Amino acid sequence: PMFVRKSVGINDNLNGVEHPVSVHVKRIPNAEYEVVHSLAKWKRHTLARFGFNEGEGLFVHMKALRPDEEELDPIHSIYVDQWDWEKIISKEDRNEEYLKEVVRKIYSVFKATEDYITKEYPKLTKKLPEEITFITSQELEDKYPTLTPKNREHAAAKEYGAIFLMKIGGKLTSGERHDGRAPDYDDWDLNGDIIFNYPLLGIGLELSSMGIRVDENSLEEQLKISHCEDRRTMPYHQMILNKVLPYTIGGGIGQSRICMFFLDKLHIGEVQASIWSQEVHEICRQMNIKLL
């Protein structure tokens, strides 16, 4: 879907401050629709609506607009394209070990992709280590206390090659959050980002954000922490609180960033057609980077 109805509460609120593009449809009175930020909530609702069973899931080609993106730079665009996926799990599977098991499966596909593309194009280099390293946001703060959260990611990615940064959204012992997360899709104790070291830009490049979704208890707690308790009355949130929606795990895998990473590109605009300022166009022209 490109649009979801605003009043249902099914759009991704991201960090809670971004404003989605909204439209009014002439033939549907008194209804405002939003261009999706992501499909984090829509997927879980869809699994319930079509009667999927435990162990089953879906994947979708997600295309979103995020016009409030703070940075338009080599890895950030207002156009977001992801392979989005969601799977029904049991209540017992809502644990850290199950999450790690799924991450390892996804990482094995990244490794297989790297093997394939470097055989097709021998001038491309392999960059991924044999195993992905698991580390929490608190462990990252403890390890690099003088660095900003983003620079901690870069440092850890450089040290380990590939990390799954866990437990994002809640406050750390410093009183700060590592990064913002909407309170109503991921469980902040059971989520994380897949981040790879990217030598061409000297950064840790996030390729996937994923996690086990909130249950009735973690939703209540996270809405309260985030001062978003007004969302409790929305249809989507009521379905979680009343245990109508299934327990799920899911995430999104960035298509353009995957292309960047495996094809050794310097700018995301080399693999997707988006909107850039005149300044960015001029910088890229001087560097002989051709934006689509």
Side-chain angles (χ1 to χ4, degrees):
M2 284 297 297
F3 314 96
V4 290
R5 192 163 182 161
K6 181 178 181 179
S7 60
V8 177
I10 209 169
N11 203 359
D12 183 351
N13 298 93
L14 299 176
N15 293 320
V17 296
E18 296 87 350
H19 297 89
V21 176
S22 61
V23 296
H24 291 274
V25 182
K26 183 176 181 180
R27 297 303 297 269
I28 307 177
N30 303 317
E32 186 175 359
Y33 290 82
E34 297 175 342
V35 177
V36 296
H37 275 151
S38 87
L39 299 179
K41 301 174 189 173
W42 180 89
K43 292 176 297 180
R44 186 174 181 180
H45 184 267
T46 299
L47 288 173
R49 191 160 67 95
F50 286 99
F52 281 68
N53 298 310
E54 184 181 315
E56 296 179 337
L58 55 78
F59 65 91
V60 295
H61 174 47
M62 190 279 283
K63 295 178 286 185
L65 289 178
R66 298 180 182 175
D68 282 351
E69 183 66 63
E70 291 187 6
E71 301 289 341
L72 293 182
D73 57 28
I75 65 171
H76 292 94
S77 168
I78 69 165
Y79 171 64
V80 182
D81 51 348
Q82 293 184 165
W83 286 293
D84 250 308
W85 62 276
E86 199 83 10
K87 177 184 176 183
I88 296 178
I89 61 175
S90 68
K91 180 80 168 177
E92 292 70 33
D93 282 335
R94 299 190 73 262
N95 62 71
E96 196 171 294
E97 282 310 307
Y98 183 81
L99 174 63
K100 289 180 177 180
E101 177 186 331
V102 174
V103 171
R104 291 188 183 100
K105 288 182 180 179
I106 294 172
Y107 187 68
S108 71
V109 179
F110 278 126
K111 288 285 291 178
T113 303
E114 183 177 64
D115 288 342
Y116 168 80
I117 200 68
T118 52
K119 286 179 182 177
E120 287 289 309
Y121 302 98
K123 70 176 182 178
L124 297 176
T125 58
K126 289 189 177 183
K127 299 179 281 290
L128 294 177
E130 284 305 308
E131 304 289 339
I132 191 167
T133 297
F134 295 90
I135 189 168
T136 69
S137 57
Q138 186 58 62
E139 289 170 337
L140 211 61
E141 182 180 68
D142 295 341
K143 187 175 178 66
Y144 309 106
T146 63
L147 300 182
T148 65
K150 189 53 65 177
N151 283 334
R152 290 174 206 150
E153 293 182 11
H154 299 332
K158 184 176 182 180
E159 180 174 351
Y160 299 109
I163 64 171
F164 183 64
L165 179 57
M166 304 172 65
K167 300 189 177 185
I168 301 172
K171 287 187 178 180
L172 306 172
T173 55
S174 63
E176 302 295 323
R177 301 175 190 272
H178 178 83
D179 195 5
R181 283 294 188 276
D184 45 11
Y185 60 98
D186 280 350
D187 186 318
W188 294 344
D189 286 326
L190 295 169
N191 68 353
D193 293 343
I194 295 175
I195 302 171
F196 293 163
N197 184 43
Y198 195 46
L200 265 70
L201 293 176
I203 62 170
L205 182 64
E206 178 197 322
L207 291 181
S208 178
S209 180
M210 58 172 288
I212 292 173
R213 307 309 193 185
V214 289
D215 63 4
E216 59 279 4
N217 298 317
S218 54
L219 176 61
E220 285 272 23
E221 181 182 357
Q222 292 176 187
L223 287 178
K224 185 175 182 179
I225 292 172
S226 303
H227 306 291
C228 295
E229 292 171 284
D230 56 308
R231 296 186 197 173
R232 291 184 82 262
T233 59
M234 289 182 164
Y236 176 80
H237 301 73
Q238 281 292 301
M239 293 177 77
I240 295 176
L241 295 172
N242 294 321
K243 303 181 183 180
V244 174
L245 293 183
Y247 300 116
T248 63
I249 182 173
I253 303 173
Q255 296 180 24
S256 291
R257 288 192 180 183
I258 285 175
C259 292
M260 267 192 80
F261 182 82
F262 287 118
L263 297 177
D264 288 348
K265 297 300 181 181
L266 287 170
H267 199 287
I268 199 168
E270 295 182 85
V271 295
Q272 65 155 240
S274 187
I275 298 170
W276 309 100
S277 68
Q278 195 56 46
E279 180 185 10
V280 170
H281 277 285
E282 180 57 27
I283 292 172
C284 289
R285 186 190 66 78
Q286 293 176 11
M287 297 179 66
N288 198 32
I289 296 173
K290 294 179 172 58
L291 302 179
L292 297 178

